[in-house]
Amino acid sequence: QVQVVESGGGLVQAGGSLRLSCTASGFSFDRSAMSWFRQAPGKGREGVSCLNWSGKETYYSDSVKGRFTISRDNTKDTLYLQMSSLKPEDTAMYYCAPGTYSVCLSTWSDTPDFADWGQGTQVTVSS
């Protein structure tokens, strides 16, 4: 059974940092590209970042480029998102999801047809 569990969110002041984690099970994590998505209240889910199976190819949305860093530990089946210089507009529920392939496709930021979304982890940035 595919399962992802996000953690590490919290309340932080603008300019602060947080590190999110996503622990995965039930699929071949080390063969899967992994992505982070977020959803703010009243808005659709948007792609934040994607990382290929090896961790050597990264992609970011323009809104987080230069502030967020995605990484993974395939020995622990865990995905990370280091968030720095946080802004109030980063406030959202953050989710992770595996890709269909081992690499990030050009459509990585589109919300995937993923049946096993986790509960997410809430990030709230105060101004």
Side-chain angles (χ1 to χ4, degrees):
Q1 179 181 357
V2 174
Q3 186 176 25
V4 292
V5 178
E6 301 91 349
S7 63
L11 173 63
V12 64
Q13 289 188 335
S17 300
L18 282 174
R19 188 195 196 200
L20 306 185
S21 298
C22 164
T23 302
S25 60
F27 63 98
S28 298
F29 181 84
D30 59 352
R31 299 180 185 179
S32 301
M34 293 292 298
S35 295
W36 284 100
F37 294 84
R38 66 186 181 185
Q39 187 165 17
K43 296 187 177 181
R45 196 164 295 186
E46 65 167 334
V48 173
S49 184
C50 184
L51 181 64
N52 78 330
W53 68 276
S54 68
K56 294 183 178 179
E57 293 183 4
T58 58
Y59 300 83
Y60 299 95
S61 67
D62 289 342
S63 60
V64 307
K65 197 172 297 181
R67 300 187 297 120
F68 290 10
T69 302
I70 191 172
S71 62
R72 65 193 297 160
D73 185 340
N74 286 346
T75 67
K76 297 181 179 179
D77 289 354
T78 301
L79 178 74
Y80 304 100
L81 186 68
Q82 178 67 48
M83 306 186 296
S84 303
S85 302
L86 283 162
K87 304 176 181 179
E89 50 263 46
D90 294 317
T91 294
M93 189 72 78
Y94 284 71
Y95 303 89
C96 63
T100 304
Y101 304 102
S102 60
V103 297
C104 300
L105 303 180
S106 60
T107 55
W108 70 265
S109 60
D110 294 344
T111 302
D113 184 17
F114 181 51
D116 301 293
W117 291 100
Q119 292 189 334
T121 187
Q122 177 68 41
V123 172
T124 303
V125 184
S126 63
S127 57

